[in-house]
Amino acid sequence: MQGGRPKRGKAMRGKPKGRAVEPRAAAEVQALLGSAPRRHELLIEHLHKIQDRYGCISAAHIVALAREMKLAMTEVYEVATFYHHFDVAKEGDKTPPALTVRVCESLSCALGGANQLISELRRALGDGVRVIPAPCLGRCEQAPVAVIGQNPVAQATVDKVKQLAAAKKTKCPVGKYITYAEYRKSGGYRLAAECLAGRRDAEAIMKTMENSGLRGLGGAGFPAGRKWRIVRNEPAPRLMAVNIDEGEPGTFKDRYYLERDPHRFLEGAIIAAWTVQISEVYLYLRDEYAGCREILEREITALQADPPCPLPPIYLRRGAGAYICGEESAMIESIEGKRGMPRLRPPYVAQVGLFGYPTLEHNMETLHWVREILEKGADWFASQGRHGRKGLRSFSVSGRVKKPGVHLAPAGITAKELIEEYCGGMLPGHEFYAYLPGGASGGILPASMGDIPLDFDTLNEHGCFIGSAAAIILSDRDKASAAARNVMKFFADESCGQCTPCRVGTAKALQLMEKARWDQGLLEELSGAMADASICGLGQAAPNPIRCVMKYFPKEIE
């Protein structure tokens, strides 16, 4: 011994470093992966296979998967622990219960009594079932929502959940939707076939898209036709990433369309791919949408088995529970099999995106409208709208209204008009008090400002934005300050942790907001730091609810 360390000699050579691979775990991982490729980009897909089969991901499985994929154990571990839906078991941990019930605690479900439901379920289901709170599940119109395994329970009650849990009904049911055969029968893919056969002109298609005024419907609102032209002007090869992560509390429009008419957006994606000369298409679907995943797997298989025209390769990628992956560059990182950490810009994804190639990134609903706009013309879409605005908007409406759900309405409709004309008015005994026009990050406005046209750019001067058109309606039985606390808790939980202003700022803001009297000076200083210095939209938009409450609802916090 020298200095307390063993001598390095022949006896030390060849000794494996780190943790040895357990033969049983190695065999289990090899069986699960089968003949699937072991490329790095498929790491999250392979982690899902382990999670689905064993209900958790053990340390032994991480070591075995790392060897199988020729990755460092730290690479596998950091990805597995980043996402909410991977239950990583540490050494010595007990195996989690066979059944997990998640209850959404985001704003719409909180208004529906989610917190009380969580407490009651824990008492009623006992130790054999794990009951945990969950961030938004994308079913805000069905509040409160619980999920048993992957089976969502709408308007959940203790009795409903107990009955399904006892029957071990953990698979998400799939309802009736327009199948590939039905879509083709009604004229579907005819337009795509014309494009691929050269009977349509790519320049004319881009001009139609530009003239229609269609803007990205995932929240940012960038003109769709302009984005096509920008990416087409980049050098080949070019890729496409379709964002169906939809994690913004209050938003569920993409799920609504996918559950009913999946091929409409797939045809839009094929047309966009041909127009922009895209080589491969990647669909990124949030993990909470298990039913939609089954639909897409079925229908993409049917499409590829009997293609109406030459198709680009289409790959379906499964998210793993991370709101941050709704941000385009974080989604791209996740598709590449990594943690969903937003990238610094420039370069933008249109220039250096997926796998380093120019990438056309689109929200699913944006592509949903492509076929109809090209068939009916740019003027048809642009002629829709109210109060000087153009186009149509799919409003996800939840909260204190009689008819929550997805309502297709003219762009520029006001909150009061939306409630009265499309949502059947407020719930009996409730009076319109306030609303969030763009989900958790879009700010909060009082009912007295319910006559502002709801569209891109109309709300900015009021410290709000429409985002993905997720309207959450509050009544006189609610408080805007409580709503702001709920969404700030969501932001604090969902921050990826990459940048200090967001990671520390959201947590500190939540602590300050939990006090009966807010320190408005400190909160404003904190809001400025988050808005100005955060890397991505999560931290930049997180202060919106704070500032709105201080400006429009001061009596609630003084």
Side-chain angles (χ1 to χ4, degrees):
M1 296 285 289
Q2 292 179 346
R5 297 181 184 176
K7 290 182 180 180
R8 298 184 64 85
K10 292 183 179 179
M12 296 293 293
R13 290 177 187 169
K15 197 169 184 178
K17 295 181 179 180
R19 182 182 174 124
V21 179
E22 295 181 12
R24 180 177 176 180
E28 289 171 343
V29 167
Q30 288 168 358
L32 285 173
L33 271 55
S35 60
R38 269 59 168 173
R39 298 191 305 273
H40 191 305
E41 69 189 78
L42 296 173
L43 174 57
I44 293 172
E45 298 294 312
H46 295 336
L47 285 168
H48 272 302
K49 292 173 183 175
I50 298 172
Q51 177 74 42
D52 290 346
R53 172 64 180 83
Y54 295 103
C56 66
I57 301 172
S58 68
H61 283 137
I62 286 178
V63 176
L65 182 61
R67 189 183 74 169
E68 193 68 23
M69 298 188 71
K70 295 182 172 56
L71 297 172
M73 283 184 282
T74 52
E75 288 183 90
V76 178
Y77 183 79
E78 71 177 7
V79 170
T81 53
F82 180 85
Y83 295 93
H84 297 314
H85 292 181
F86 293 142
D87 199 343
V88 180
K90 296 179 182 177
E91 199 68 43
D93 283 356
K94 292 182 180 179
T95 302
L99 194 62
T100 295
V101 176
R102 290 181 169 84
V103 180
C104 177
E105 62 173 354
S106 292
L107 182 54
S108 299
C109 285
L111 295 175
N115 293 331
Q116 183 179 347
L117 179 63
I118 291 171
S119 299
E120 292 176 352
L121 284 173
R122 284 174 173 165
R123 288 195 298 268
L125 297 177
D127 296 335
V129 178
R130 180 173 54 172
V131 179
I132 57 176
C136 185
L137 298 169
R139 297 180 177 273
C140 315
E141 84 281 24
Q142 302 169 3
V145 176
V147 176
I148 304 170
Q150 294 184 338
N151 185 11
V153 185
Q155 288 88 39
T157 63
V158 172
D159 288 342
K160 273 187 183 181
V161 173
K162 280 182 68 176
Q163 184 178 1
L164 291 170
K168 292 184 170 53
K169 292 188 176 180
T170 60
K171 186 179 179 182
C172 182
V174 175
K176 182 172 174 52
Y177 63 89
I178 299 172
T179 65
Y180 177 60
E182 293 166 339
Y183 186 76
R184 287 286 301 274
K185 190 175 181 180
S186 63
Y189 290 109
R190 185 164 50 211
L191 183 57
E194 289 176 0
C195 290
L196 272 295
R199 295 198 296 273
R200 291 271 183 164
D201 177 64
E203 178 61 29
I205 285 178
M206 282 192 288
K207 283 185 177 178
T208 299
M209 295 299 296
E210 289 170 336
N211 294 336
S212 71
L214 178 68
R215 295 174 66 169
L217 298 172
F222 193 87
R226 199 162 111 210
K227 184 182 283 191
W228 290 19
R229 191 175 296 281
I230 289 170
V231 178
R232 184 183 165 102
N233 287 336
E234 293 293 325
R238 309 172 195 90
L239 307 181
M240 182 191 296
V242 182
N243 193 334
I244 326 177
D245 192 60
E246 195 170 51
E248 179 77 17
T251 310
F252 46 91
K253 61 184 178 61
D254 292 351
R255 190 207 85 231
Y256 176 88
Y257 287 124
L258 272 177
E259 289 177 339
R260 290 159 176 79
D261 193 2
H263 287 281
R264 191 165 293 270
F265 105 85
L266 287 171
E267 181 170 13
I270 292 167
I271 292 169
W274 174 80
T275 305
V276 184
Q277 298 181 347
I278 296 291
S279 301
E280 297 176 344
V281 177
Y282 289 79
L283 313 179
Y284 187 84
L285 179 70
R286 71 180 307 202
D287 194 35
E288 289 84 349
Y289 291 173
C292 294
R293 185 168 65 252
E294 184 175 339
I295 289 171
L296 283 175
E297 286 171 348
R298 284 184 199 169
E299 297 309 307
I300 291 172
T301 298
L303 171 64
Q304 292 171 334
D306 180 26
C309 56
L311 301 175
I314 300 174
Y315 304 102
L316 179 60
R317 292 287 185 264
R318 180 178 172 184
Y323 167 69
I324 193 66
C325 290
E327 195 276 338
E328 60 178 6
S329 65
M331 174 192 67
I332 284 172
E333 290 285 297
S334 191
I335 293 173
E336 292 178 354
K338 297 179 283 191
R339 294 177 296 166
M341 307 284 265
R343 297 176 179 176
L344 292 171
R345 294 178 248 189
Y348 296 94
V349 300
Q351 302 161 313
V352 181
L354 190 56
F355 306 120
Y357 297 117
T359 301
L360 178 65
E361 187 273 343
H362 264 317
N363 170 255
M364 190 225 85
E365 196 208 344
T366 311
L367 296 169
H368 175 90
W369 288 108
V370 168
R371 173 188 164 188
E372 201 158 3
I373 287 171
L374 293 178
E375 287 181 342
K376 296 181 179 179
D379 291 342
W380 164 79
F381 189 80
S383 67
Q384 313 291 326
R386 286 188 191 177
H387 306 298
R389 311 307 295 179
K390 294 181 178 181
L392 294 166
R393 296 287 174 269
S394 301
F395 289 93
S396 305
V397 186
S398 59
R400 310 296 194 180
V401 294
K402 288 181 181 176
K403 290 165 52 180
V406 173
H407 299 289
L408 184 61
I413 194 171
T414 69
K416 289 179 179 178
E417 291 169 340
L418 185 64
I419 292 168
E420 293 304 318
E421 296 178 32
Y422 289 85
C423 302
M426 299 293 291
L427 287 171
H430 291 255
E431 186 178 326
F432 182 29
Y433 173 67
Y435 65 109
L436 288 76
S441 55
I444 308 174
L445 293 173
S448 60
M449 297 177 70
D451 292 319
I452 301 170
L454 297 176
D455 197 15
F456 298 112
D457 311 321
T458 60
L459 298 158
N460 298 24
E461 63 182 291
H462 307 290
C464 298
F465 56 79
I466 191 173
S468 56
I472 304 175
I473 311 300
L474 307 181
S475 79
D476 54 347
R477 301 187 187 184
D478 307 310
K479 285 191 173 183
S481 56
R485 275 193 299 273
N486 180 283
V487 300
M488 188 56 67
K489 181 180 184 302
F490 173 82
F491 292 139
D493 290 342
E494 293 295 327
S495 173
C496 74
Q498 180 177 189
C499 65
T500 302
C502 177
R503 181 185 68 249
V504 177
T506 52
K508 180 62 176 176
L510 180 60
Q511 292 176 4
L512 294 170
M513 294 166 73
E514 286 172 342
K515 297 181 179 181
R517 187 182 182 90
W518 289 11
D519 185 336
Q520 297 190 47
L522 185 54
L523 276 167
E524 177 53 40
E525 185 179 349
L526 191 59
S527 295
M530 284 193 284
D532 294 341
S534 295
I535 289 174
C536 81
L538 192 158
Q540 293 164 8
N544 289 344
I546 299 174
R547 286 171 160 167
C548 284
V549 170
M550 292 193 296
K551 184 175 181 179
Y552 302 116
F553 306 91
K555 292 182 180 179
E556 290 191 16
I557 56 173
E558 292 175 348

